[in-house]
Amino acid sequence: MSKESVLQIFSERYKNKYRVYPDSLKEGKNSFFFMVRNDKSKYLIIVGNSDISGKFEGEFLGKLTLNKKTLSVKMAYLNHRNLSLLQEIFPYLYPSPAGLKKSFGTGDRLGIATPAHIQAFKDKDIFPVLAQQSARENARTGRTWQQVLDEAIWGCFETGYEGKFGADADHVKKIEDLSKAVDCGYTMFTIDPSDFVKDDIQQLSEREKDEIYNRISEKDKLEKLYLDKTYTVGRKKFHFDARSLRDIVITYFKALQHVVKCYGFLKDYKKGGFDFEISIDETSFATSPLAHIFITEELHRRGVNFQNLALRFIGDWQKGIDYIGNVDEFAGELSYHAIIAKNFGPYKLSLHSGSDKFSVYPAFAEKTQDLFHIKTAGTSWLEAVRVIAEKDPHLYRQIHHFALGNFEKDRASYHVTTDLSRIPEVDRLPDDELKGLLDQPDSRQLIHITYGSILTAKDKKGNFLFRNQIYKALFKYEDDHYKNVSSHIKKHLNLLA
């Protein structure tokens, strides 16, 4: 009994009701599993052993006869229970750590782009982190850690992907969120200690700095370890004098304490290996090589085994658009950070706000010697909206007007220089020019930043204003959606190869 014959007979029987995803077809436990869709939703089909299919939640469709053998046909829902059963049969559906392999995260704010992401990774020697969402993104979209991970895994099954992939609980600030992510099965944890970073140090007087520094309990120990110590990195020397050590300790000491606390929890609570990332990129100033050395040395001294470190690099890293700054200067500064990461680790340098930073990717891959991790999130959302602009201009115009009204509120947590006055009047543009708005930095950032408001906005009756229409449109034009997202992510990956 061949897999091809199962698909052929099923397709002939149900050709007017379901469209099969042929790449999803797998055989296990004397049964066949594959995904289908009708005009409204997707399902898992199980053909074969009724003892197996009976465990799955769904509806019995009937029987098929193949090679004189009668097989039951079950239509199962794409829910968490059924996914857990599927993972028991096909263990490759569990995420795994990346370790020091070069890696790339594809955040998916809608939960439907994973098949497109997998297409982009085809023939690329880069470890895919297919489930990646931050606690802030979940709060803004109304999703949970479990939903994010489950939807990514269903996307893997739809494409027939059997390779390894990661699941990143991104920008986590609280132990409570770490606990939930561990329970869901995540394999990577990105700690965001920005609440503990002294980001206003440049506004403090020398006296104020001294007062803060003298209150740090480990000040004397840190001075014995670092004061007057010089590190040679490449052709340059970096020296801890009294002032530089004081300023770095004031800036990062409490943040490192929080990181150590989070790591200790994960080490005790998480069964099996995991990737640990520290994010210190959300500061108003760049991380100096000397600060990088201090952070790394302190983490190692305190027993933190980390794989990724996200620094705040020089230049302007705004959401959804290319790097703003001198690429040669960035590459020069990056070379020192890359040497530190290799010689003091090794560990990977992580680039956050990595969406569409095309101008710096070649230098980033070269200088780090492939010891890198890159995160994207909003860019896949923007490519989805591009499809809506092309296929449903009326819906896009509504979204655009709504975004304009919510931009000032939503921009509060982002560093952007968006100028709304530079965005063309949407109602004056012909339909065929709307998708071009997603190529312009200001209108691109407009849609990027307001995603949470767009996806959660409701009318007075409690009905979503746009969410259901967005999903409906992207489901209808799924092939276009996958093509857009895949092509755009592949553009990122090609520059890193």
Side-chain angles (χ1 to χ4, degrees):
M1 170 168 44
S2 69
K3 294 192 290 187
E4 291 74 17
S5 58
V6 170
L7 276 191
Q8 180 181 354
I9 293 175
F10 178 89
S11 298
E12 290 174 353
R13 171 77 67 86
Y14 298 101
K15 62 183 178 182
N16 295 324
K17 193 169 183 180
Y18 299 108
R19 190 189 92 185
V20 173
Y21 292 93
D23 291 338
S24 67
L25 180 61
K26 301 294 177 184
E27 183 177 2
K29 299 289 185 180
N30 297 316
S31 299
F32 298 91
F33 302 81
F34 54 94
M35 282 179 60
V36 301
R37 59 170 282 168
N38 57 20
D39 59 347
K40 292 183 179 180
S41 192
K42 297 181 182 181
Y43 303 94
L44 172 69
I45 298 295
I46 308 160
V47 178
N49 189 332
S50 59
D51 291 339
I52 297 298
S53 62
K55 298 178 181 179
F56 288 78
E57 295 178 348
E59 302 174 19
F60 177 69
L61 295 183
K63 295 182 180 294
L64 293 178
T65 301
L66 184 63
N67 297 335
K68 297 182 180 181
K69 188 173 182 178
T70 301
L71 306 173
S72 68
V73 182
K74 182 82 170 277
M75 181 193 75
Y77 309 123
L78 304 191
N79 60 25
H80 178 67
R81 170 182 165 78
N82 287 345
L83 181 60
S84 298
L85 292 170
L86 202 62
Q87 287 175 305
E88 292 177 8
I89 300 171
F90 304 110
Y92 55 79
L93 292 174
Y94 287 107
S96 59
L100 294 182
K101 296 177 183 176
K102 55 185 175 181
S103 50
F104 190 98
T106 52
D108 180 9
R109 290 170 177 168
L110 293 170
I112 55 176
T114 296
H117 293 153
I118 290 173
Q119 289 175 19
F121 279 99
K122 187 176 181 181
D123 301 324
K124 297 288 187 296
D125 183 28
I126 299 178
F127 185 93
V129 180
L130 299 173
Q132 172 202 286
Q133 209 85 139
S134 69
R136 181 174 68 182
E137 285 172 317
N138 283 341
R140 292 187 176 183
T141 59
R143 300 168 75 202
T144 66
W145 295 118
Q146 195 67 69
Q147 285 176 305
V148 170
L149 182 54
D150 287 0
E151 287 161 351
I153 298 174
W154 281 118
C156 290
F157 189 78
E158 179 185 315
T159 65
Y161 181 71
E162 296 186 18
K164 292 185 179 300
F165 65 96
D168 178 11
D170 191 20
H171 277 274
V172 176
K173 295 186 176 186
K174 301 177 181 178
I175 297 289
E176 176 186 356
D177 281 322
L178 284 178
S179 174
K180 291 177 181 177
V182 169
D183 293 342
C184 292
Y186 281 74
T187 56
M188 177 175 173
F189 305 91
T190 300
I191 306 303
D192 176 4
S194 58
D195 291 346
F196 300 93
V197 173
K198 191 67 176 172
D199 195 45
D200 64 347
I201 187 172
Q202 296 172 343
Q203 281 75 53
L204 300 177
S205 67
E206 293 299 304
R207 181 179 60 80
E208 289 172 323
K209 292 178 184 178
D210 286 337
E211 288 177 353
I212 296 172
Y213 183 60
N214 289 328
R215 289 198 298 267
I216 293 176
S217 60
E218 294 187 36
K219 177 179 74 71
D220 293 342
K221 179 187 290 187
L222 294 172
E223 288 181 350
K224 289 180 180 179
L225 288 169
Y226 300 105
L227 187 58
D228 292 329
K229 192 169 184 180
T230 299
Y231 294 82
T232 301
V233 180
R235 298 180 178 179
K236 195 169 182 179
K237 295 183 183 297
F238 295 94
H239 178 73
F240 281 105
D241 59 23
R243 179 173 292 183
S244 62
L245 178 60
R246 178 201 63 186
D247 289 355
I248 289 171
V249 170
I250 289 172
T251 303
Y252 297 107
F253 182 74
K254 288 186 177 180
L256 292 176
Q257 285 183 315
H258 180 68
V259 169
V260 171
K261 180 180 178 182
C262 291
Y263 179 77
F265 169 79
L266 284 171
K267 190 176 179 181
D268 291 339
Y269 192 70
K270 176 79 171 73
K271 307 302 179 186
F274 58 90
D275 292 325
F276 191 69
E277 174 167 307
I278 301 101
S279 168
I280 54 168
D281 64 309
E282 295 201 6
T283 59
S284 58
F285 49 86
T287 312
S288 69
L290 194 60
H292 182 181
I293 291 170
F294 175 78
I295 290 164
T296 297
E297 291 279 72
E298 278 300 288
L299 288 171
H300 286 152
R301 184 173 75 86
R302 295 164 184 263
V304 177
N305 179 23
F306 63 99
Q307 287 68 46
N308 303 352
L309 180 62
L311 306 175
R312 169 65 164 86
F313 297 108
I314 62 171
D316 202 352
W317 303 85
Q318 297 191 29
K319 300 293 184 181
I321 61 174
D322 206 344
Y323 175 72
I324 301 173
N326 187 304
V327 175
D328 291 335
E329 289 181 6
F330 162 73
E333 184 79 358
L334 175 65
S335 64
Y336 295 115
H337 289 298
I339 292 171
I340 294 168
K342 184 176 182 180
N343 293 346
F344 287 68
Y347 50 86
K348 295 184 290 186
L349 291 180
S350 188
L351 181 61
H352 292 191
S353 297
S355 294
D356 309 297
K357 302 303 183 290
F358 302 118
S359 63
V360 302
Y361 286 156
F364 201 75
E366 177 190 355
K367 297 297 183 182
T368 61
Q369 298 181 33
D370 289 345
L371 274 173
F372 68 76
H373 177 65
I374 291 178
K375 296 193 182 192
T376 66
T379 199
S380 292
W381 152 252
L382 291 170
E383 291 308 304
V385 176
R386 187 192 299 275
V387 174
I388 292 172
E390 182 177 7
K391 300 296 184 180
D392 194 340
H394 177 67
L395 175 57
Y396 176 79
R397 292 179 200 277
Q398 289 181 307
I399 291 172
H400 188 99
H401 282 299
F402 179 84
L404 287 171
N406 284 268
F407 180 76
E408 290 304 322
K409 168 179 66 70
D410 290 344
R411 74 178 298 173
S413 56
Y414 292 98
H415 165 63
V416 291
T417 54
T418 312
D419 185 347
L420 298 184
S421 69
R422 293 194 292 246
I423 301 176
E425 173 54 54
V426 68
D427 290 332
R428 294 184 180 180
L429 292 176
D431 288 352
D432 61 357
E433 292 184 16
L434 291 178
K435 65 179 181 179
L437 290 171
L438 278 303
D439 295 321
Q440 300 178 19
D442 295 292
S443 47
R444 189 171 177 82
Q445 288 188 323
L446 166 69
I447 301 300
H448 184 292
I449 287 169
T450 55
Y451 73 93
S453 295
I454 292 168
L455 290 172
T456 57
K458 295 182 179 180
D459 61 22
K460 293 180 180 179
K461 295 182 179 180
N463 299 315
F464 286 113
L465 289 177
F466 309 112
R467 187 187 189 99
N468 295 338
Q469 295 182 72
I470 289 171
Y471 278 106
K472 185 177 180 180
L474 295 175
F475 188 77
K476 180 178 180 180
Y477 300 105
E478 183 174 80
D479 291 343
D480 296 281
H481 176 217
Y482 285 178
K483 181 179 179 181
N484 260 33
V485 173
S486 177
S487 175
H488 193 65
I489 295 298
K490 190 178 294 184
K491 184 179 178 181
H492 292 68
L493 298 174
N494 286 343
L495 291 168
L496 295 164

